[in-house]
Amino acid sequence: MRHTLSRRQFLKAAGMTTATACAAGLFSACGSGSASSNGGGASADTSSYTILYSSQPATLNYLTTATDIEMVVGANCIDTLVEYDNKGVMREGLATEWEFDEASLTWTFHLRDENWVDMNGEVVAPVTAQDFVDALRYLLTPAYAASNVGLVTSYIAGAAEYYDYQVNLANAESGLVEDDGTAYTVDASGVVTVSAPGAEAQTFAPVEFDAVGVKAVDEHTLTYTLTYDFPGFLSLLVYLPYEPAYGPLLEEMGDQFATSAETLYSCGAFYLSEYVPLESWVMTKNPENYDADNVFIETVSRIYNAEAEVNGPEMVKRGEIDEATIGSDILDSWLADEATKDLVSMDRPNTNYTYFYLFNFMPFYHEFSGQTVEGLDDEYEPENWAKAINSTNFRKAFLYGINNAVTLAVTAPEGYEGYKLNTVTPPSFCANNDGVDYTQCGALADISEFFNEETAKQYRDAAIEELSAQGVTFPIKVQMPYNPSTPDWDRQCQVFKQQLEGVLNDGADFIDVILTAGPADNYLSAVRRAGKYCFQLCNWGADYSDPETETDPFYQTEGGYGGRYAYLRTAVEDGIVTGETADTIMAYMAAVEEAKAITTDINARYEAFANAEAMLIENALVIPMGMSVPAYLATRLNYWEGQYASTGFSNKRLKGIHVLDHYVSMSEYEANRDAR
């Protein structure tokens, strides 16, 4: 195998500091060879891939993380039971066969021979079914604070009970007394008592891990027993919580697992050969992997550069790195310049991430168990807002008055129409047993473009008449917050305000969209979950390939806070929403419950979920906006060769992708897309 200098080794050999190297732009020794400023040539190195990163991962522990950059190692260095091809078709991974027993709700997977390797690519041990069991035990240990626990406790039998007991036991052993006086104690037999002031004490008997529905039948046979017949389970397997980990290493390292190259073993397309925080990490092709013949990159290097957004494009011009994001601030100039216009293409679209607008149906203070909604500040007139959102006419004025193409053009100056959505679930997310796209099932098939200025004004006029009779004052204040740390969100909001007010305030003093900058840190907790907005752009990333996942932002159980988005059901329970709107909300909740109960007839299941989603949209309880616009890139990778799935981390995998001897142009990108 060819040996390459890491960035750290190069800097030491050159006698330079990191800061000096960044200033000088000397990265070619660990980059892509001698590619020229016109996009590369025959001398460009096609065996390595180098990219900058500007945000240091908090962890590389794939069992506990949920952030994009922290998933990279888990996606590329650890194989999964199943995987997807570049067209989104599921295929064999570490498992070569699998079957489902409906009576016992048990999936059985038969594993192929595969090995764990260390940071040097040396074989450590075989991958066995027990490695999946040990990984799940680790994940369900509260001390490790895994962020993806819900992807296990919701579906694997006994997992929720085991995890809840472990949480209560940890609280008792630490002597925790919460702010409200709730105390945790444990007796000699392991029974935990939770005592809250003014409430009857609760007891939790010990739950052993053996009660969790994951078993190693033998070295090559693994079973998962589900809590219910869940059609989307197989797609969950391409998520970090269902990856294996070498049990003896987990036991030895504990919370230090995967904190360095030395503390991580790999069984995927690559192994982690070097990791130096705030400097670099290197992944090297794993020759021991069963599918090594389909791995075409020898070395993947990520180099830390705090100014990657600025320095990356310039380093691409010099052929020093293989990929950089071309931000909106320089995109127009790159496309207009003959020297750079053919260096620009795009990332592959990610169809599991969608955007939609929500009204805040919880503008007042509400206290859930362990969750508080603060509601709107007085300056935004919450009483006035509560009356407005109870009007279907008011909401439909927004539905028909919003031109999504205008807002999308901010981040997608070319081809923005292709990212516009009229549904919450995007096309090509999943299809029924007859191959019919979910968005063409049930009532969703009848939904088309909403934007219509004349229709919007008709609903506006009806809303003015209806709400004036209820004492609503105009213009209605519409607080619309944004996260200032999210690129272009402020510009999108400015364009949105101008466009919507231009329609709805034409001939009337109807609304006043008030843009507010939320906090850059903890935005979701401080704004959306706290109910401190009137109307805002929200997003949702699907968890699995089944339409049930698209209900998570909207569905609530009785008394529950659900996904902490618009609090639809809570608004009904608190009497904020009444009449027609309340009836529609409760009809939606019932429709979702009925759809969830359909598990064997996929066509009927999809139609039921489609009808429920259409109910939300047609009554303007949610207003679809669009898909996530892929980033504009200068890259030497043909991403259309890579694995693809509408959920999970398949799109982060580099297996199957070639490094080209030139940067991809937009015309080549489109040709690659059409040829896949």
Side-chain angles (χ1 to χ4, degrees):
M1 180 176 296
R2 186 176 62 86
H3 295 283
T4 59
L5 281 176
S6 72
R7 176 176 184 270
R8 188 186 192 194
Q9 292 165 333
F10 169 69
L11 296 180
K12 286 182 177 180
M16 301 177 66
T17 65
T18 302
T20 305
C22 288
L26 292 173
F27 290 89
S28 57
C30 60
S32 307
S34 56
S36 64
S37 61
N38 67 1
S43 62
D45 182 1
T46 58
S47 66
S48 65
Y49 168 70
T50 301
I51 187 172
L52 303 183
Y53 73 99
S54 60
S55 178
Q56 175 60 34
T59 179
L60 298 182
N61 188 339
Y62 57 91
L63 294 178
T64 61
T65 188
T67 64
D68 281 351
I69 193 169
E70 293 169 1
M71 289 185 186
V72 171
V73 168
N76 287 282
C77 296
I78 311 296
D79 267 345
T80 44
L81 290 167
V82 299
E83 62 179 34
Y84 291 84
D85 66 14
N86 70 329
K87 296 181 180 180
V89 177
M90 185 179 288
R91 65 187 184 192
E92 299 174 359
L94 286 177
T96 57
E97 297 179 7
W98 51 88
E99 59 265 0
F100 179 63
D101 180 64
E102 187 175 342
S104 63
L105 300 178
T106 298
W107 282 96
T108 300
F109 297 89
H110 305 280
L111 309 185
R112 69 170 75 246
D113 290 328
E114 187 54 80
N115 290 316
W116 292 107
V117 299
D118 62 16
M119 64 176 290
N120 299 310
E122 300 293 333
V123 173
V124 175
V127 175
T128 68
Q130 187 62 39
D131 294 325
F132 290 86
V133 177
D134 292 339
L136 210 61
R137 182 198 293 267
Y138 184 96
L139 181 95
L140 295 174
T141 301
Y144 301 138
S147 56
N148 281 320
V149 169
L151 292 178
V152 174
T153 56
S154 297
Y155 309 106
I156 302 300
E161 293 80 5
Y162 173 79
Y163 183 70
D164 289 346
Y165 174 74
Q166 291 298 316
V167 170
N168 288 322
L169 179 62
N171 289 341
E173 291 178 337
S174 68
L176 176 66
V177 178
E178 297 186 21
D179 292 342
D180 64 357
T182 300
Y184 300 79
T185 58
V186 58
D187 64 20
S189 64
V191 174
V192 176
T193 300
V194 181
S195 304
E200 185 176 346
Q202 292 180 287
T203 59
F204 295 86
V207 180
E208 300 298 328
F209 184 75
D210 287 347
V212 178
V214 57
K215 299 287 184 291
V217 178
D218 55 44
E219 285 196 352
H220 288 84
T221 308
L222 172 72
T223 63
Y224 288 108
T225 300
L226 308 186
T227 54
Y228 67 102
D229 187 356
F230 172 50
F233 179 69
L234 286 179
S235 64
L236 275 180
L237 300 178
V238 191
Y239 265 102
L240 300 172
Y242 290 93
E243 289 193 315
Y246 186 51
L249 185 64
L250 288 177
E251 185 175 357
E252 176 187 355
M253 301 311 304
D255 62 1
Q256 295 302 299
F257 172 70
T259 55
S260 65
E262 292 85 354
T263 57
L264 173 71
Y265 293 159
S266 305
C267 66
F270 300 88
Y271 61 86
L272 185 64
S273 54
E274 180 182 330
Y275 174 59
V276 183
L278 294 178
E279 286 197 14
S280 66
W281 83 68
V282 179
M283 299 186 299
T284 303
K285 178 178 175 178
N286 177 11
E288 295 293 333
N289 186 256
Y290 76 93
D291 207 16
D293 287 346
N294 288 316
V295 180
F296 307 113
I297 306 174
E298 293 288 335
T299 307
V300 178
S301 300
R302 287 181 172 256
I303 309 298
Y304 179 75
N305 187 310
E307 301 297 327
E309 291 183 5
V310 175
N311 293 334
E314 293 303 313
M315 294 171 69
V316 161
K317 288 181 181 180
R318 299 192 295 268
E320 294 171 349
I321 59 175
D322 301 306
E323 182 174 302
T325 299
I326 308 303
S328 59
D329 56 331
I330 63 171
L331 178 61
D332 289 343
S333 64
W334 272 57
L335 292 174
D337 189 335
E338 287 295 324
T340 55
K341 67 182 181 67
D342 287 334
L343 305 184
V344 180
S345 60
M346 299 182 81
D347 199 353
R348 184 169 180 169
N350 188 352
T351 59
N352 80 321
Y353 212 63
T354 59
Y355 291 81
F356 44 84
Y357 293 106
L358 282 181
F359 300 91
N360 179 12
F361 287 85
M362 183 50 58
F364 305 118
Y365 182 89
H366 182 97
E367 193 169 311
F368 293 99
S369 175
Q371 171 72 25
T372 298
V373 179
E374 298 176 31
L376 290 176
D377 292 337
D378 290 342
E379 63 181 300
Y380 303 114
E381 302 174 354
E383 294 283 354
N384 212 47
W385 179 254
K387 293 177 182 177
I389 57 167
N390 201 38
S391 164
T392 301
N393 289 321
F394 175 77
R395 300 191 309 275
K396 284 191 172 182
F398 279 66
L399 177 65
Y400 287 93
I402 295 172
N403 184 354
N404 287 324
V406 172
T407 308
L408 281 166
V410 173
T411 52
E414 296 185 357
Y416 52 80
E417 288 284 351
Y419 305 106
K420 187 171 60 177
L421 291 178
N422 299 312
T423 56
V424 174
T425 306
S428 302
F429 175 73
C430 59
N432 69 12
N433 282 340
D434 295 329
V436 178
D437 190 274
Y438 169 71
T439 60
Q440 296 303 307
C441 294
L444 282 183
D446 299 325
I447 289 181
S448 58
E449 171 73 37
F450 285 100
F451 176 60
N452 185 302
E453 292 191 20
E454 182 180 351
T455 303
K457 291 174 182 177
Q458 291 173 354
Y459 280 113
R460 175 202 64 190
D461 294 342
I464 290 174
E465 180 179 357
E466 173 191 359
L467 294 174
S468 295
Q470 298 176 23
V472 170
T473 58
F474 295 91
I476 295 171
K477 293 183 177 180
V478 184
Q479 183 203 11
M480 187 175 188
Y482 60 88
N483 188 333
S485 69
T486 301
D488 297 323
W489 196 351
D490 57 342
R491 293 202 301 136
Q492 281 188 318
C493 287
Q494 291 163 7
V495 169
F496 175 92
K497 171 182 170 68
Q498 183 179 12
Q499 184 271 313
L500 185 62
E501 287 184 346
V503 174
L504 297 184
N505 286 348
D506 180 20
D509 195 14
F510 186 56
I511 57 172
D512 178 16
V513 178
I514 304 170
L515 305 182
T516 59
D521 297 324
N522 299 316
Y523 177 86
L524 293 181
S525 295
V527 178
R528 193 197 75 204
R529 294 167 184 165
K532 300 189 79 64
Y533 72 97
C534 290
F535 187 79
Q536 76 165 322
L537 182 66
C538 297
N539 56 52
W540 173 247
D543 286 333
Y544 44 84
S545 299
D546 182 89
E548 181 179 343
T549 189
E550 300 290 356
T551 69
D552 286 355
F554 318 111
Y555 175 75
Q556 291 175 271
T557 58
E558 184 176 355
Y561 54 70
R564 295 180 287 181
Y565 276 74
Y567 301 104
L568 290 167
R569 186 168 189 153
T570 307
V572 177
E573 293 173 344
D574 284 10
I576 297 169
V577 171
T578 58
E580 176 187 59
T581 298
D583 291 343
T584 301
I585 288 173
M586 296 311 295
Y588 169 76
M589 301 298 163
V592 169
E593 289 162 1
E594 291 172 4
K596 286 182 178 181
I598 304 171
T599 58
T600 56
D601 187 341
I602 296 300
N603 287 8
R605 177 181 175 87
Y606 281 22
E607 181 174 356
F609 275 116
N611 291 340
E613 182 173 324
M615 191 186 306
L616 275 183
I617 299 167
E618 291 168 345
N619 290 279
L621 295 171
V622 60
I623 299 177
M625 190 270 196
M627 291 189 295
S628 180
V629 176
Y632 285 86
L633 303 174
T635 183
R636 297 208 296 136
L637 299 184
N638 173 10
Y639 278 110
W640 297 100
E641 293 182 309
Q643 296 186 16
Y644 169 79
S646 58
T647 58
F649 54 59
S650 296
N651 300 10
K652 299 183 186 304
R653 286 181 156 168
L654 294 172
K655 174 181 173 178
I657 299 178
H658 293 80
V659 179
L660 307 176
D661 62 3
H662 60 277
Y663 294 94
V664 178
S665 67
M666 188 61 76
S667 60
E668 184 178 357
Y669 170 89
E670 293 171 349
N672 291 337
R673 176 196 63 200
D674 297 341
R676 72 190 189 281

